[in-house]
Each structure stands twice: as structure tokens, then as C-alpha cells.
Amino acid sequence: MTFAGILAFFGLAVVTMDVLGGAIAISVLLRGGTVRHLLAFVGGYTVVIIAATLILRPLLALLSRWLRPVLDSNNAIGAVEIVVGLALVGFSVHQFRAASRPPLPHSRLERRSTPKRLATGPLILAGVGFSATALADPGFAIAVGMASQEPRLLLQVVLLVLWNLLYQAPLCAVLGTALFGKHELLVTRVVEVFGPHRRALQTVLAVLLALAGLAVLGDGVLAVLGEHVPWLRQLLLLR
């Protein structure tokens, strides 16, 4: 993999970073979860991702032959970008609406509950279910495909492990904090810092999603209507 390919490879992990995992981990801690519960959640996610990667690599190799006419078509890739752009714009509208909701009468810390027993099994299943968010992310499939271009198997594994750690950086950060016994402090700080600014943060997120959606949508439209090479195809061509 070339230097440009490596930059695109890890840049993809940053751009598509999954913040939902970190949010779920924080919510588990807010409900009285411990390191054991976080490990159960991460374990369920990791098992599925490893299995999916092993299956996806040969599947992508097979599909690359069948999908070559699609991948070589600016119109087809542009159409995919249009769909993704519309999805991002739609999600930004959801975030705008969420930001407009009035705050709850009690703070998150006041509503925090510590159940007598938080079962581990459901958290493993939750991790398995959460893996669907990565499997449905085109960035994950693209990352596996790009890493598969590396002829050395060991380097493929290293690249994919580093990519997934960066992709799930928020979840890894919460887990690492919990492993060092600082999760109670983390929960308090998160609620104190982000709680009063919920509307502003959700509005900023909505604006970023809208801008990204409009950019991807516009790029797709230009590719369909003209001779423009879409960004997604340029990314796929980097090796």
C-alpha cells in the first residue's frame, strides 16, 4: 500500500468514526455498569467483526470481478454518493429536531440508577447487535478491501486492527478509562461538561452532518450529470 493509500485508509477511519459505541459505553456506566459489563459489550462486538472480516475478504475478492463494471462507472458511484448524501442530510434533520427538544426536568446524574444486578448476557448480545452498525457502514467494507490489497497477511491484520481501533476510538477511550478505574470520574465529567451544552453540541453535529451530506450529494450529482470522477471512486483507486 502506498503512502497516499495509507493516509486514505486511516483517514477513512477518522471520517467514519463511530461515536455511538462511546455513547453506549457511557450509558452503561450511567446505569451502574462496571468494567466487566463493558468488556462483555466489546467482546460481543469484536467476535462478530472478526468473523465478518474473515468472510468479507474472500467475498470482496469475488464481488470485485462481478462489480468491476459498476466500480468503473462514474454514474454508478455517483448514484451511491447521492443516496449517502441524502441519508446524511436526513440524519442532520433528525439532530436538528433533537436539539430543539426542551431539557428533561432532572439532570442525568440525578436520574442515574445503580441496579442491583446488571446482567452480562444481554450486554454481549448488545455488542453483537451493535456490530451491525459497522457492518452496515460502507467505510468498513472499503477498509477491508483496501487492506486486502496488501500481499503480506501479517500487515493486513495489523492494518485492520489499527483501523478498527481508530474507528471505535470513543469506545476504546471509555473502556481504557474504565480499566484504569477512572470511569466514575469520567461519567461525572461527561454529564457536567456536556449536559448543559446538549442543544449546542447537537446543533453543531447537525450542521456538520448537513454540510457533509450536501457535499457528498453535490459530488454525486456532478458525477451523474458530467464527467466528474466521484470522490468515492478516487478513494477506491488509492492503493
Side-chain angles (χ1 to χ4, degrees):
M1 187 180 290
T2 64
F3 180 71
I6 291 176
L7 288 180
F9 180 74
F10 289 112
L12 181 65
V14 174
V15 172
T16 62
M17 185 178 294
D18 193 347
V19 298
L20 180 59
I24 293 176
I26 289 291
S27 68
V28 170
L29 295 178
L30 284 170
R31 291 188 57 82
T34 64
V35 176
R36 174 170 58 88
H37 299 109
L38 288 181
L39 288 174
F41 176 74
V42 174
Y45 171 85
T46 303
V47 168
V48 174
I49 290 301
I50 292 174
T53 301
L54 294 176
I55 296 173
L56 194 58
R57 284 180 54 206
L59 183 60
L60 286 175
L62 177 63
L63 289 178
S64 66
R65 295 193 295 270
W66 296 349
L67 297 179
R68 182 55 55 189
V70 176
L71 296 178
D72 290 339
S73 170
N74 289 343
N75 288 341
I77 298 295
V80 172
E81 287 190 341
I82 290 175
V83 173
V84 174
L86 289 174
L88 288 173
V89 171
F91 192 53
S92 73
V93 173
H94 171 74
Q95 287 299 315
F96 273 120
R97 294 180 62 184
S100 65
R101 297 192 191 107
L104 294 171
H106 301 290
S107 70
R108 191 62 184 266
L109 282 178
E110 291 174 347
R111 293 183 288 110
R112 184 181 181 187
S113 61
T114 305
K116 294 181 180 179
R117 182 175 181 272
L118 192 62
T120 303
L123 283 172
I124 296 177
L125 295 178
V128 171
F130 173 63
S131 65
T133 62
L135 301 182
D137 187 347
F140 174 73
I142 293 173
V144 174
M146 293 180 71
S148 298
Q149 302 302 314
E150 171 58 45
R152 290 163 291 186
L153 178 60
L154 179 60
L155 189 53
Q156 286 184 26
V157 174
V158 171
L159 286 171
L160 285 173
V161 169
L162 293 177
W163 191 92
N164 278 283
L165 288 176
L166 189 56
Y167 176 69
Q168 290 295 347
L171 176 59
C172 294
V174 175
L175 178 60
T177 302
L179 289 173
F180 283 99
K182 301 295 184 180
H183 48 288
E184 290 294 333
L185 179 62
L186 173 65
V187 169
T188 303
R189 289 290 182 268
V190 166
V191 173
E192 290 177 349
V193 173
F194 292 101
H197 307 292
R198 177 189 66 85
R199 287 190 174 187
L201 291 172
Q202 285 185 310
T203 301
V204 170
L205 176 60
V207 170
L208 292 176
L209 287 171
L211 292 176
L214 291 174
V216 174
L217 178 61
D219 188 69
V221 171
L222 289 176
V224 171
L225 298 180
E227 299 297 326
H228 172 67
V229 179
W231 295 334
L232 179 56
R233 188 179 176 198
Q234 296 179 39
L235 176 63
L236 293 172
L237 292 175
L238 287 173
R239 292 292 183 263

